[in-house]
Amino acid sequence: MKWLFLPLFCLLYNSTHGQPRPTAYSMLFQQDPALRKWSSSIPNFKPDAFVYQETSDFGQHSPDTLRGTAVATYFNTFGKLIGFSPDKKQWLDFFSYQTSLEKIPGGRYRAYHDIDQALILGNTATGIRTGIAYMGASSWVEETRWLDNHTFIAVGVTSVTKGLQPFIYMGDTHTRKLYHYRPANDRHNRDRDRKYVSYQWAKIASRIIEE
């Protein structure tokens, strides 16, 4: 009888073995300024409290290509907000889909916010930007961090009945997979009244007029 369960065991083992896991990067949540700020906003935060939920493929939401003057405009506007991979060949951007920035006199910007958000992956060589995770209006990526040239962490929250449930996504640009992790209970949920400002946004907030 035990041999009947062997294929199922192998399937489950292969589906999780080798995938990036939050617990492997516990020190980053203490050392990286953005991840430390985010983890401090999560009650009773511990990486091992986040359990594997599912694996999804990168989306292909609203792909576009930066060309001509659009290249300089984009990087001049959002350059301090996006995160480049160590080799500078890729970048992550969770701001520009949701927020429009209009430059005004005095080196400042006026910000206009939409309700929907997407996590965008950009390719430096081609200029192509693609929304790899569409968050909608009830989930928000709040910080990202590259682990190496092809893997990254994206963290944020989802609005649920009992507050804001945190999540950790582990992404791999080689396999184009996102591994989803969430707490098993609601004791780690953030209170709705606690506003979170992303680390990079906070650094330029004095130059932003929010509408």
Side-chain angles (χ1 to χ4, degrees):
M1 178 64 71
K2 66 180 180 180
W3 299 108
L4 295 176
F5 295 97
L6 185 59
L8 177 60
F9 170 80
C10 292
L11 177 62
L12 293 174
Y13 177 83
N14 290 329
S15 67
T16 58
H17 184 67
Q19 71 190 39
R21 298 173 181 274
T23 51
Y25 302 95
S26 297
M27 291 303 296
L28 271 182
F29 289 96
Q30 302 174 34
Q31 298 171 347
D32 180 78
L35 294 182
R36 184 173 65 244
K37 179 180 182 179
W38 182 82
S39 61
S40 296
S41 77
I42 305 302
N44 309 302
F45 176 83
K46 292 182 179 179
D48 59 7
F50 288 74
V51 297
Y52 173 76
Q53 299 290 310
E54 62 178 336
T55 300
S56 64
D57 294 322
F58 281 9
Q60 295 290 326
H61 185 75
S62 301
D64 72 328
T65 304
L66 293 171
R67 294 188 178 92
T69 59
V71 177
T73 299
Y74 172 76
F75 287 111
N76 287 340
T77 304
F78 290 96
K80 294 185 181 299
L81 297 171
I82 62 180
F84 283 95
S85 59
D87 61 7
K88 307 298 183 184
K89 292 182 178 180
Q90 300 180 96
W91 75 85
L92 291 169
D93 167 12
F94 58 92
F95 292 98
S96 65
Y97 185 87
Q98 185 178 37
T99 302
S100 296
L101 293 177
E102 175 191 347
K103 194 169 186 178
I104 58 178
R108 305 182 74 189
Y109 290 87
R110 182 171 282 109
Y112 302 91
H113 300 288
D114 199 349
I115 60 172
D116 294 327
Q117 190 200 55
L119 176 61
I120 294 171
L121 177 67
N123 184 296
T124 308
T126 64
I128 296 175
R129 300 179 297 177
T130 304
I132 60 173
Y134 179 67
M135 310 308 296
S138 60
S139 291
W140 305 274
V141 172
E142 297 179 317
E143 305 289 358
T144 59
R145 209 276 193 184
W146 287 93
L147 303 174
D148 54 38
N149 289 326
H150 67 91
T151 57
F152 62 85
I153 291 178
V155 298
V157 292
T158 296
S159 179
V160 294
T161 303
K162 297 183 178 180
L164 300 174
Q165 182 188 56
F167 64 78
I168 298 176
Y169 291 168
M170 310 291 292
D172 187 323
T173 63
H174 281 172
T175 62
R176 301 189 68 78
K177 301 286 186 183
L178 276 176
Y179 303 94
H180 301 227
Y181 295 85
R182 295 180 185 273
N185 54 58
D186 58 19
R187 66 187 295 265
H188 303 286
N189 289 7
R190 186 197 296 157
D191 191 282
R192 294 184 189 279
D193 294 331
R194 182 172 181 178
K195 181 180 179 182
Y196 184 83
V197 180
S198 296
Y199 180 77
Q200 295 300 105
W201 186 271
K203 291 199 297 184
I204 66 169
S206 62
R207 298 171 52 199
I208 304 293
I209 300 173
E210 302 200 42
E211 297 293 335

